[in-house]
Structure formats: C-alpha cells, structure tokens
Amino acid sequence: MAFSMKKALLLVSILALGFVLAHFGVKQVQATTPTNPTLFTLFALFAGWNSTSPPGTITPCSPSGQATCNPTIIEFRGVSFRATIKWGGTGESMHTFAIYTSDITPDNVSNTDSCIASAKSGCLAASHPVTSLSPTATLTFSPQVPVDGPPFSGPGVYQFYCQFHPQTMHGMFQLYKNPDPTNAGRVVIGDLATIAFYFNQNTTSTNAVADLNNDGKVNINDLAFDAFYWNDTI
Ligand SMILES: [Cu+2]
C-alpha cells in the first residue's frame, strides 16, 4: 500500500515536470542557481513601471507601448516579498511604490492615503519616495489573499501604483498560494508530492494548501504551477 502510493506520487510528479517542460520550457527546470521569485526590482518612471522609454518621457508606456512595462507580478499568500524600487533617472520626479487592494482604481489613489496592511479596501503599504537624492527604496510585504473558499475565485489580486502618478504607473499582483507548502524554504519534491496526494479532489479545508490557483480543484494546473518554481528559494 505504501509502495503503491509512493509510486503514484512519483508518477504524477514526473507527469507534472513533463507538463511544465512542454509548456514553459527548460529554463526553470535546468537552473543550477536557485532563483527567488520573492525578490524583485522595479524601475520607477513616469511613463510606467519598468518603462524602457528615456527618463522624463511623458507618453504612457501602456497599453499601446511596451510589453514589459507595468508588469503583472506573481507572488504568494503568506510569503513575504521584497520589492526594490529604483528611481528612473534624471528628468524623473518623485515616485513611490504603493500596494492597494484589488478594488482601488487610479482615480482613487492619492499621495495622502494612509496605508494599513489589514485594510479591507485601500492602501496596504507604501515605500519611501525615490528621488535623485534618495534613488533606492525597498518595501517588504506579506500578501494575505486569496482567502480560502468557497467561493473559489482564482488567484488573489492587488494593484500597485506610484501614489503621485497612478494613471501611468500602475501594475498588478497575482497572488497564488505558497508553492512551498512543506515550508522547506525551497520548492522540493515534497511540495509536488503534497499536491499529488490530493490530486483530482475538490478543494476542502483539508487540502486547500494544494489548490495553489484557488479554483476549487486540485489538478494538473496546481502541479504545473508548483513545478514552474521547482528548486526556487521561496
Ligand atoms: Cu510617480
């Protein structure tokens, strides 16, 4: 019995690795130096976060401009991430990096907002301003969404803005559950096995940690998501 369960887990894990290789390529799986998706850098430019236009450009980088500006960033519930914010360069004014609940639109963002991590609606956290004199800031935050269902409404969402320029400097976080449910500090075979153990079940309070995308089912999408972060530091 124990043997067949182990064998089944191994087979499903191999299937998941095959799936992720087929769909996402070999980059992540072959990485020899573990990467850490909870550490990232954003460049603060008026035209948009990570805009490749010259500093001081006033034409927004999106929606018609650059594919990589104002990115959607994937992070994980209950796992602190650290954003490093870099001032975009000469010609740029002051910018902040601020995290808002999903319902907050650009018109509702102000540099006078107070930020409270437990807010149900509004600003959750904000960095110090980045300026020519103080060109780097960091902000650490631990996402608290998605909440376990039902209802199961998919990954959680936060908005991020510059509080001075929310119309042009606006991206999104997509928040999944922790791909390291065993808390090994790294995505290891035990994490895949945890998901495989509940494979093909509807999501309940017992197996909710395995429904990484919060869609109400533990299935190949959860395994593939986990395998995408294989060996990464979490
Ligand atoms: Cu700004």
Side-chain angles (χ1 to χ4, degrees):
M1 190 66 178
F3 174 74
S4 67
M5 177 62 81
K6 274 185 192 166
K7 197 168 163 187
L9 291 176
L10 186 61
L11 280 171
V12 173
S13 300
I14 289 166
L15 279 173
L17 282 170
F19 184 90
V20 81
L21 278 168
H23 289 263
F24 299 103
V26 296
K27 183 177 75 71
Q28 289 286 333
V29 180
Q30 283 189 336
T32 49
T33 305
T35 53
N36 187 334
T38 68
L39 305 176
F40 61 89
T41 297
L42 286 172
F43 293 88
L45 295 107
F46 175 87
W49 293 103
N50 287 354
S51 170
T52 53
S53 302
T57 299
I58 59 168
T59 307
C61 68
S62 65
S64 56
Q66 302 146 357
T68 57
C69 79
N70 286 329
T72 295
I73 299 172
I74 294 177
E75 292 295 338
F76 316 112
R77 183 183 74 183
V79 181
S80 285
F81 62 77
R82 189 173 82 228
T84 300
I85 309 304
K86 295 201 181 274
W87 184 64
T90 302
E92 288 291 326
S93 57
M94 172 187 290
H95 304 294
T96 61
F97 171 74
I99 303 166
Y100 281 75
T101 52
S102 63
D103 56 313
I104 301 298
T105 57
D107 291 340
N108 292 311
V109 173
S110 161
N111 60 45
T112 61
D113 291 338
S114 54
C115 303
I116 303 165
S118 60
K120 293 283 173 263
S121 176
C123 184
L124 300 170
S127 74
H128 294 296
V130 288
T131 67
S132 59
L133 294 175
S134 179
T136 302
T138 60
L139 184 68
T140 299
F141 191 77
S142 179
Q144 298 304 313
V145 294
V147 176
D148 282 341
F152 300 101
S153 47
V157 173
Y158 290 146
Q159 317 285 345
F160 64 86
Y161 292 104
C162 167
Q163 292 175 303
F164 295 100
H165 312 109
Q167 302 291 343
T168 55
M169 301 177 70
H170 175 202
M172 273 175 43
F173 285 102
Q174 268 196 332
L175 304 156
Y176 288 73
K177 296 184 195 173
N178 189 352
D180 175 28
T182 65
N183 290 311
R186 214 154 54 86
V187 178
V188 295
I189 193 71
D191 298 313
L192 283 171
T194 298
I195 296 165
F197 185 77
Y198 297 116
F199 197 78
N200 220 16
Q201 293 184 3
N202 289 325
T203 305
T204 64
S205 55
T206 305
N207 63 16
V209 293
D211 181 15
L212 299 186
N213 66 0
N214 191 41
D215 69 349
K217 299 178 292 287
V218 180
N219 62 17
I220 191 70
N221 295 316
D222 302 301
L223 268 177
F225 183 84
D226 207 55
F228 182 77
Y229 293 100
W230 175 257
N231 207 35
D232 281 0
T233 304
I234 298 294

